[in-house]
Amino acid sequence: MSIGNKLKIVICGKSGLVGSKLEELFNANHNELIGLKVRENTSVESIAQQLESSDIIINLSGTTILARWSDNYKKKLYSSRIDTTKKLVDAMEICKEKPKLFLSASAVGIYTSNISHDDNSKNFADDFLSLLCQDWEAEALRAEDFGVRVAIMRFGVIYAKEGGAMQKMLPPFKMGVGGRLGSGEQMVSWIHIDDLLRAIEFIMKTPEIRGSLNFTTPYPLSNNEQTKILGKVLNRPSFFCVPAFLVKLIFGEGAHVVLDSKEAYPTKLLEHGFKFHYEKFEDALKSIV
């Protein structure tokens, strides 16, 4: 698949941070870009019409994970990912000309805490977020059954000027009340938005890449280290601490997202020769602030 040629690209979940940045990237290359909205009442047939003869489908659908998880919200988290992905794959199956590549989102939250993981790790956690990711990935991988190349993007924490995690992290530090979350010992696997976009382009150009990939830099770091770097780069104190109980009070079960330790390494990307522009957190942070 040559990026130089004009491609028909369908993005489901185009309004989020990653989707909007991909839109800028693909429009700059004069591709045909379709933003697909899949709702409860959207029929598989109508989705198939939009997917017909597309080159690439990128699935970023899903309600934001960084929120308070009530039982009702957990249902939204699940249906916005699994039901949407199921419809997309069912639609691909009935297309006469199927897409060449299906890129579908997932998260490093699939992994168990406190051990390191490469792309082939099967050490999955037994909690809501991991089970959500496992079901999400299983739906996406069904597309392989009818000859579509599938790449699952297990996102770490995404850092960008335009939003994402950095938008929530910077204000307390700028006000001089920044600090670690919980024990601070939890490992954070992360990626700069520019590297994330470049990794997607890289996969598009590298047909032998398939299956699950960690979209994380080769240098995860602890929340303590992250806090020190934030204080140093912003020239602000960083000795405050948000105790774990307070994080749980704010986010409920969703506190797992910020308190659990996830250490993931991008082995497939590195093995195929991908080069990160922002390997170290300090470099990424300087480019953002």
Side-chain angles (χ1 to χ4, degrees), residues 256-271:
H256 282 293
V257 177
V258 287
L259 296 177
D260 284 1
S261 184
K262 302 295 176 190
E263 186 180 349
Y265 294 90
T267 36
K268 273 187 198 170
L269 283 171
L270 294 174
E271 280 164 9

Side-chain angles (χ1 to χ4, degrees), residues 2 5 23 64 72 80 85-86 93 105 114 118 121 155 178 194 197 215 217 223 231 244 256 259 261:
S2 168
N5 300 338
E23 183 177 20
T64 180
N72 202 30
S80 64
T85 305
K86 183 181 189 317
E93 189 169 13
N114 302 317
D118 65 15
S121 172
F155 293 143
D194 290 359
L197 300 174
F215 269 54
T217 85
N223 176 248
H256 282 293
L259 296 177
S261 184

